Amino acid sequence: MLDQMEATRGELMKLVDSAADLAALESVRVAALGKKGRVTQLMQGLKDIAPETRREAGQALNRLKDEIEAALTKRKESLGEAALDARLKTETADLTLPVRPGGLGRLHPISQTIEELVQIFGAMGFSVAEGPDIDDDFHNFGALNFGEDHPARQMHDTFYLPPKPDGMPMVLRTHTSTVQIRTMMKVKPPIRIIVPGRTFRSDSDATHSPMFHQVEGLVIDETTHMGHLKGCLIDFCRAFFQVDDLPVRFRPSYFPFTEPSVEVDIGCSRKGGELKLGSGGDWLEILGCGMVHPNVIRNCGLDPTRYQGFAFGMGIDRIAMLKYAIPDLRPFFDADLRWLKHYGFVPLDPPSLAGGLSR
Ligand code: DAH
């Protein structure tokens, strides 16, 4: 029996060493240790040998089994390394190839439009500020000079949330003007910010969604006047809509937080039922603005005899629809990939004033 074991050992070791790949090694393992393998058969033969030598033979067989297992493991490791080396040598990736933007998806028109706003106002020296979607009545209305029973509160179709423990009503912010207050209470002028963000009103049809986007602008210092407001917004409209001689008109209006208050229209033509931006004799309202009301400046702890400035607010979704001729607002929020493929933007082509704002 011991001689037989020695012979088996030599043969199996040779087979292990000569296995050329992992599949061949696996057949060697089965031939040695499998159910009908050579070592397994020797083990089964133990019951037929004389009881005096059985114990010794059993121990020798166990050693043989361990040795073969160790040899298999070792060979498996070196074959694995060799296989990996071979793959590394043959499967190369050329990192200098251009990226295929098709695989990267598309940028949503709202993301694209926000990026364009940041580029245009960034070049004028504005930075981006943000505030929470859920805010209190003070930031959304009170500090913005909406009196307790001010009718303008009703204009906003506000979503109310449970009040704070002190009774202060909480709301989903109805406009980004909340961040005017947050900024003026925190930052010492000069202030020059834009605030792109989500806003909420209980309203829904082809051009209104309960969640929509606005961008707010705020400039506060000691000398800014209405002329600056006009220059800033005329430049913005022409840069954003990419029409150099776009007519821009300022029309008196009313907001509680500005005095005087103004609405801005851009020139367009509606001939033949088709809307075309530019000179055409018709007008389209695109934003509200004005000189920040002294009460608002005072409500934020600043001295209105020293500080002054202007603010503006507009709907991001609305100007995106106008610029990119998107007729319906609802699919903006449907996450329909076919829509996104059609109206979305190539993500590796970010807007810049030098390189072009879009397409
Ligand atoms: N908050 C206004 C709205 O949602 C928009 C607006 C108008 C913002 C005039 C302003 C502004 O900052 O000066 O209807």
Side-chain angles (χ1 to χ4, degrees), residues 156 174-175 177 180 201 214 216-217 255 257-258 288-290 311-313:
H156 279 203
T174 59
H175 49 183
S177 307
Q180 288 192 29
R201 290 183 202 181
Q214 282 191 343
E216 192 80 11
F255 303 103
F257 38 89
T258 44
C289 58
F312 58 87

Side-chain angles (χ1 to χ4, degrees), residues 267-289:
C268 66
S269 140
R270 293 196 178 85
K271 264 191 213 94
E274 197 198 341
L275 180 72
K276 216 171 147 267
L277 301 181
S279 46
D282 294 319
W283 295 100
L284 186 70
E285 183 214 319
I286 59 153
L287 65 91
C289 58

